[in-house]
Amino acid sequence: MFRILFYLVVVFLLGLGFAWLAERPGDLVVTFAGYRYEVSLMVAAVAIVAIVAAVMILWWLIRSIWTSPYTVARYFRVRRRDRGYQALSTGMIAAGAGDGGLARRMSQQAAKLISSDQEPLIHLLDAQAALLDGDRQAARDKFTAMLDDPEMRLLGLRGLYLEAERLGEREAARHYAERAVENAPQLEWAVNAALEGKTGEGDWDGALKLLDSRRATGKDARESVASRRAVLLTAKAMDVLDADPQVARTTALEAHKLRPDFVPAAVTAARALFRQNELRKGSKVLETVWKKEPHPEIADAYIHARPGDSTQDRLARAKKLQSLKRNNVESALVVGRAALDAGEYRLARESCEAAARLGPRESVYLLMADIEEAETGDQGRVRQWLAKALRAPRDPAWVADGYVAERWAPVSPVTGKLDAFEWRMPMERLAQVVEGEEDFSPAPAIAAPKGEEADEPAKAEAEPVVIEAEPVEVEKPQKAKPADAAAEAVAKPEKPEPPAETAPVNGQKAASAKKDDPAKPPLPDDPGVDPDDKDSSTQSPFRLF
């Protein structure tokens, strides 16, 4: 664009010059070798311009002829290079698509057209083609050769690392990863692999040093580095908690500062503070995290902060936790357990019922069974709550790569990944939660719970529960009886009716009774009833749970 404008400006200036000369007539006289030459100014200017143009054209012709061999050679060289890059591009696409044969052919063609010294990607295409062909040794040789080239060194280390991981050679893989970190600390894969090696050995200081050497750019990268640093600091504090509480205190508090909602860091910092008789500061740390993330480990550390506290003191601390996070399952369970230890069964039962309303799960019903056994000793009710616990959703736990652990760990025992454990519900079993069936009153005569009448036999057989025999009345559910009345009903069962009338098949009679009289109240829960058990329903009017 600028060149065109320059030419236009030159032509414009020439036109102005010739116009200026045309308006001012004159003669140009030249005397040379006794001859006198006289021409007008316009003719002289045109002659001068023509001579200059002729000289430029003559120079261009001579230069073109002189450089023609080089121009021809460069044309063919560029054409050859373009064909080589086209083959290289096609080969890389074929390698990405998994076409080993085409990748190998394009690699050979590209190597003929382009020198591997000029284009290092030919080595990568060769290695990828060897991997697709199954020639692992040739691929490793190619990656090893890349280590001599500064531009390809990181690529070679990456390839050797992946091959070592595939063969299960963890030491070699860690060696290649550490070499890559030395050259490029920003590589995520290299940092992760080196960290896994050091954390697997328990070298927390070395892992922290390695993590600090990484140059994190961007907000997400800085947050990731801070999160992993908090995990490493927490792991170090847990290791030195018994040997050096002061170091554990400093390290855990730093981890808590990096991740204020990280439960293991807060619990470890609080325990280190408690060992140094800093009860108020440790309790403050736990209370701060409890407001954000209620957790059983926080509650346990908070309630047992002083080993010599009485059960009433622990109950008071549990109530304080509940005041910080109301309408929460964990808060209700904390008060329920502390009240059970203190012998306040009424408060324990109320807290447990509140927890069941907020989130019914296994620990709620197990705690209710403990309360029932401690308060009344009714084994029938205890078995009923235990049966509900078997069918309830599981409690959250520390889960990493499908492995469920009782305590948090910095690395996964399955893959060795750092910060893999999460506090969530395990997915081993899906529980069935039926709405509106949280009945906390005793029910001596228990019928099949709603929603189980159409269950498949295999499902009923998968969760058998055995408790003592009781008489069954399907059509008219009885009201709640005290424990003595329930025992009397078991000792003196009613006279069984004829099998034709009392032996329902697959819950058909119960279903028909419910359909005929919709105004009747729903039957109470019985998690141990198997309505699809034809043998128990046809052979005896009594039902073994």
Side-chain angles (χ1 to χ4, degrees), residues 311-312 315 318-319 322 328-357 363-376 381 385 440:
T311 55
Q312 293 296 330
L315 178 58
K319 290 180 178 179
Q322 187 182 33
N328 185 267
V329 178
E330 295 296 340
S331 298
L333 284 176
V334 168
V335 175
R337 293 191 183 97
L340 176 61
D341 294 338
E344 298 188 11
Y345 302 119
R346 181 177 179 181
L347 176 59
R349 188 180 294 272
E350 291 176 354
S351 300
C352 194
E353 291 175 359
R357 287 191 296 270
S363 60
V364 175
Y365 296 118
L366 291 177
L367 179 59
M368 201 67 186
D370 293 338
I371 296 171
E372 196 69 46
E373 184 175 11
E375 183 179 9
T376 65
R381 292 292 307 282
W385 293 120
F440 296 92

Side-chain angles (χ1 to χ4, degrees), residues 234-305:
T234 304
K236 179 181 177 181
M238 293 172 64
D239 275 357
V240 302
L241 180 60
D242 297 331
D244 195 345
Q246 179 61 33
V247 175
R249 172 184 180 272
T250 305
T251 307
L253 287 177
E254 182 181 355
H256 174 64
K257 184 177 180 181
L258 291 173
R259 288 180 63 176
D261 58 344
F262 191 41
V263 173
V267 172
T268 306
R271 288 175 177 170
L273 291 169
F274 292 156
R275 294 194 178 190
Q276 295 182 337
N277 296 324
E278 297 186 32
L279 182 65
R280 184 181 299 274
K281 188 173 182 179
S283 300
K284 187 67 176 178
V285 171
L286 293 177
E287 290 173 0
T288 303
V289 183
W290 180 267
K291 295 177 182 178
K292 299 178 180 179
E293 188 69 26
H295 197 279
E297 294 182 9
I298 297 177
D300 182 70
Y302 187 84
I303 293 175
H304 299 88

